[in-house]
């Protein structure tokens, strides 16, 4: 494995191998010395051309706990704000002898392009509305730990699908691992072209949350991405909550063993009620610690072996 | 360690150096040696090195239980992430590390492995132990010591010293993983 750009690049065996490694990495979080020497002497650069707190800090801690040297570059304050092209910025950084690049960019396909320019291993940490493979891996890993196996389990993904890269990666990952997936959104936030894709990828679509929830073994709420919307997708926030939010009433209809996931950051009171976010069955904080373990596992698999092992 | 014997040339035919009874006897002797050196078994932790050291550590614990009537804490240690050759080989999958709930602080830790060769695995294990706690003492028990050390490391308890050429392969089979107990050289 040279790069991680899309869930599509991974076989089921590779995904399970990452999960097995993540299991070991998870244990490190409970140790007094949270450090493994596996990536000693390797340099990882987090290039975030879009704001992010949890993904960037998760990758930063993951790299540091594996003993890699980690630096962060953000668009603000970097030479891109002076007009340098992405290609020049990336090539300049790689000329410093970098082994791994973690790239987040608002343009779909950016990580793929970067991977074509450099020798370093590239991890896609979210590209526009396209993919977010480590998020999908950590979600599936969290659910697999909670549910035992994903085979035949029914996962409902609810919310703003149009603007969600998390949904795109998650559908691929969960169906690959044998889960049945139903995606739910208001008609205005259901991506165009989802019909043919759902048929080929084998997932279901619905506009009705209350019809899907009683059959779900796991619920994944998506953030309403107000910053990506130019308006007009739904009349008011209140109306969205009534139609598609995981409200206190809907929470009461869920079995107490059904895990509730949210990739964060949450709009409490909009797509998810505080009661649901803080419920005993909420897996949201599990997702954060799983994210660290999964990112450690990904960096280990990309960077620990010999360079020609790609 | 478990490579299938190469068929064909007669020189390559593996020679059995320890059969199942020899392995059993060696483990019994190691168990007694460990007991003699550690009168207080509550301070003892056996850590099997992944993968074949783990069943060996469990068997030693069973023998100690049979002799002393006490349960000795057993754990599993994977040193993949501490190896110094990670970069010269394709990425290896790591295995489970499981330390007994009592921890290893202040305990006498006996590392258990199948073969002692260059000593680099044990070096990695000592690094891993340092991250997991501070044992009072660390000892090493191996089923086979085949020599060719590259580091100043020696075993405290040895099932069999096996002089070997560097080019030879020593293979250990254990029942829990391979279906039978045997040590061969080829």
């Amino acid at each position: 494995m040279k790069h991680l750009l899309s869930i599509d690049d991974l076989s089921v065996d590779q995904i399970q191998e990452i999960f097995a490694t993540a299991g070991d990495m998870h244990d490190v979080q409970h140790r007094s010395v949270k450090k493994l020497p596996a990536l000693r002497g390797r340099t990882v650069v987090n290039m975030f051309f879009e704001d992010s707190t949890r993904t960037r800090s998760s990758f930063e801690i993951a790299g540091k706990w594996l003993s890699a040297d980690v630096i962060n570059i953000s668009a603000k304050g970097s030479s891109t704000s002076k007009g340098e092209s992405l290609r020049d910025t990336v090539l300049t950084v790689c000329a410093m002898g970098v082994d791994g690049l973690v790239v987040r960019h608002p343009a779909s396909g950016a990580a793929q392009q970067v991977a074509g320019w450099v020798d370093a291993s590239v991890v896609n940490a979210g590209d526009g509305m396209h993919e977010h493979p480590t998020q999908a891996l950590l979600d599936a890993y969290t659910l697999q730990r909670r549910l035992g196996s994903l085979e035949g389990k029914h996962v409902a993904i609810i919310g703003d699908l149009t603007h969600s890269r998390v949904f795109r990666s998650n559908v691929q990952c969960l169906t690959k691992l044998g889960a049945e997936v139903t995606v739910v959104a208001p008609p205005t936030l259901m991506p165009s072209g989802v019909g043919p894709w759902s048929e080929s990828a084998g997932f279901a679509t619905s506009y009705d949350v209350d019809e899907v929830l009683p059959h779900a073994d796991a619920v994944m709420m998506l953030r309403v991405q107000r910053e990506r919307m130019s308006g007009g997708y739904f009349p008011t926030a209140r109306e969205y909550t009534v139609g598609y939010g995981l409200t206190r009433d809907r929470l009461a209809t869920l079995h107490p063993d059904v895990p509730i996931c949210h990739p964060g950051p949450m709009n409490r009171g909009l797509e998810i009620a505080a009661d649901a976010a803080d419920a005993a069955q909420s897996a949201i904080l599990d997702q954060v610690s799983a994210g660290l373990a999964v990112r450690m596992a990904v960096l280990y698999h990309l960077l620990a072996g010999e360079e020609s092992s790609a | 360690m478990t490579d299938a014997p190469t068929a064909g040339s007669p020189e390559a035919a593996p020679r059995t150096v320890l059969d199942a009874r020899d392995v059993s006897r060696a483990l019994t002797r190691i168990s007694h040696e460990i007991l003699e050196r550690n009168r207080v078994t509550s301070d003892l932790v056996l850590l099997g090195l992944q993968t074949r050291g783990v069943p060996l550590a469990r068997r030693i614990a069973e023998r100690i239980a049979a002799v002393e009537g006490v349960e000795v804490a057993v754990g599993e240690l994977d040193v993949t992430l501490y190896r110094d050759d990670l970069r010269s080989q394709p990425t290896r999958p790591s295995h489970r590390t499981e330390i007994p709930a009592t921890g290893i602080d202040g305990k006498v830790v006996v590392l258990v492995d199948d073969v002692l060769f260059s000593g680099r695995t044990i070096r990695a294990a000592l690094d891993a132990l340092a991250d997991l706690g501070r044992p009072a003492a660390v000892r090493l028990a191996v089923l086979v010591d085949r020599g060719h050390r590259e580091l100043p490391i020696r075993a405290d308890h040895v099932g069999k010293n096996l002089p070997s050429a560097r080019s030879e392969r020593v293979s250990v089979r254990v029942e829990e993983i391979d279906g039978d107990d045997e040590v061969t050289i080829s």
Side-chain angles (χ1 to χ4, degrees):
Chain A
M1 200 161 75
K2 168 87 174 166
H3 306 296
L4 178 59
L5 303 173
S6 161
I7 288 292
D8 228 13
D9 302 339
L10 298 173
S11 68
V12 173
D13 285 348
Q14 281 175 315
I15 293 175
Q16 291 296 359
E17 198 173 303
I18 289 172
F19 287 180
T21 309
D24 300 333
M25 303 298 184
H26 226 130
D27 296 340
V28 175
Q29 297 177 23
H30 306 295
R31 291 197 193 160
S32 53
V33 181
K34 297 179 181 63
K35 201 87 167 166
L36 293 166
L39 296 185
R40 197 165 46 202
R42 299 270 171 162
T43 305
V44 179
V45 176
N46 291 329
M47 303 188 85
F48 277 64
F49 297 97
E50 196 180 59
D51 292 340
S52 163
T53 306
R54 76 194 62 215
T55 305
R56 190 186 54 73
S57 46
S58 179
F59 269 109
E60 183 174 351
I61 295 172
K64 286 182 170 167
W65 282 6
L66 288 170
S67 303
D69 295 304
V70 183
I71 64 163
N72 296 306
I73 293 174
S74 61
K76 281 180 206 125
S78 78
S79 22
T80 39
S81 63
K82 300 178 192 164
E84 189 178 55
S85 73
L86 174 64
R87 187 167 189 272
D88 285 335
T89 307
V90 165
L91 291 180
T92 305
V93 167
C94 283
M96 298 179 197
V98 167
D99 301 293
L101 278 179
V102 178
V103 180
R104 163 162 297 192
H105 199 280
S108 302
Q112 181 94 42
Q113 277 229 293
V114 170
W117 296 328
V118 298
D119 289 332
S121 290
V122 177
V123 182
N124 182 2
D127 57 337
M129 298 183 231
H130 182 226
E131 278 229 43
H132 194 355
T134 57
Q135 178 72 42
L137 289 171
L138 77 89
D139 287 339
Y141 172 80
T142 306
L143 291 179
Q144 187 165 299
R145 275 169 74 100
R146 283 271 183 125
L147 303 172
S149 156
L150 285 169
E151 193 71 47
K153 296 292 193 314
H154 186 194
V155 182
I157 304 179
I158 302 163
D160 174 4
L161 302 176
T162 293
H163 301 95
S164 175
R165 54 193 170 210
V166 173
F167 138 71
R168 274 165 251 271
S169 292
N170 256 310
V171 165
Q172 292 181 47
C173 191
L174 292 169
T175 51
K176 225 172 214 186
L177 295 172
E180 290 168 26
V181 178
T182 303
V183 301
V184 190
T188 48
L189 290 170
M190 187 69 84
S192 59
V194 78
W197 182 36
S198 69
E199 276 171 34
S200 63
F203 65 94
T205 58
S206 170
Y207 300 131
D208 190 343
V209 172
D210 297 303
E211 195 181 83
V212 173
L213 275 186
H215 311 293
D217 296 307
V219 177
M220 199 175 280
M221 302 306 297
L222 297 176
R223 187 168 66 94
V224 173
Q225 305 203 29
R226 286 188 268 209
E227 76 278 13
R228 288 182 202 273
M229 290 184 199
S230 42
Y233 286 96
F234 48 85
T236 62
R238 174 83 197 132
E239 213 159 311
Y240 180 86
T241 308
V242 170
Y244 292 91
L246 186 56
T247 56
R248 187 190 291 191
D249 291 346
R250 290 198 176 103
L251 174 68
T253 67
L254 280 184
H255 190 277
D257 289 341
V258 171
I260 299 166
C261 298
H262 191 298
M266 291 182 274
N267 296 306
R268 280 177 184 251
L270 179 55
E271 73 266 1
I272 187 164
D275 294 39
D278 303 329
Q281 68 207 85
S282 164
I284 296 167
L285 290 177
D286 286 2
Q287 285 174 278
V288 178
S289 71
L292 190 45
V294 164
R295 286 173 181 128
M296 286 174 80
V298 166
L299 290 178
Y300 171 71
H301 281 282
L302 291 182
L303 298 172
E306 61 178 342
E307 270 138 61
S308 59
S309 71
Chain B
M1 209 75 55
T2 52
D3 297 36
T6 34
S9 69
E11 301 88 70
R15 180 165 57 85
T16 303
V17 280
L18 293 179
D19 63 17
R21 289 179 60 186
D22 299 329
V23 170
S24 172
R25 248 183 253 124
L27 290 176
T28 304
R29 186 165 47 74
I30 289 173
S31 310
H32 282 286
E33 283 178 16
I34 291 173
L35 270 178
E36 276 166 27
R37 280 193 68 168
N38 301 278
R39 296 277 166 217
V40 189
T41 43
S42 60
D43 284 351
L44 205 53
V45 175
L46 299 177
L47 279 187
L49 265 65
Q50 293 279 12
T51 42
R52 284 176 180 71
V54 174
L56 296 180
R58 294 199 190 289
R59 282 197 232 170
I60 291 171
E62 280 167 20
R63 282 163 164 79
I64 290 175
V67 175
E68 283 296 273
V70 288
E71 294 279 320
V72 176
V74 183
E76 308 174 10
L77 185 62
D78 179 66
V79 302
T80 309
L81 299 166
Y82 292 86
R83 298 194 65 97
D84 56 11
D85 59 355
L86 275 178
R87 244 200 252 186
S88 55
Q89 302 189 1
T91 312
R92 302 154 171 250
S94 61
H95 298 275
R96 254 202 105 54
T97 288
E98 203 161 306
I99 301 302
T102 49
I104 58 166
D105 286 336
K107 306 278 183 186
V108 174
V109 172
V110 181
L111 297 171
V112 181
D113 204 1
D114 52 354
V115 180
L116 178 58
F117 186 21
S118 64
R120 288 181 186 267
T121 303
I122 305 304
R123 194 239 13 109
L126 292 173
D127 270 7
L129 278 186
D131 280 358
L132 294 165
R134 190 183 181 283
V138 183
R139 303 219 169 90
L140 175 61
V142 295
L143 185 60
V144 174
D145 182 349
R146 62 167 296 190
H148 305 289
R149 217 75 78 238
E150 293 165 7
L151 296 168
I153 283 170
R154 65 164 185 82
D156 299 272
H157 312 290
V158 181
K160 183 173 177 63
N161 282 299
L162 184 61
S164 61
R166 194 170 263 279
S167 57
E168 286 175 316
R169 285 195 82 83
V170 174
S171 305
V172 173
R173 295 170 59 87
V174 294
E175 195 170 352
E176 293 86 338
I177 296 169
D178 312 296
D180 57 2
D181 285 339
E182 193 182 36
V183 179
T184 58
I185 188 164
S186 55

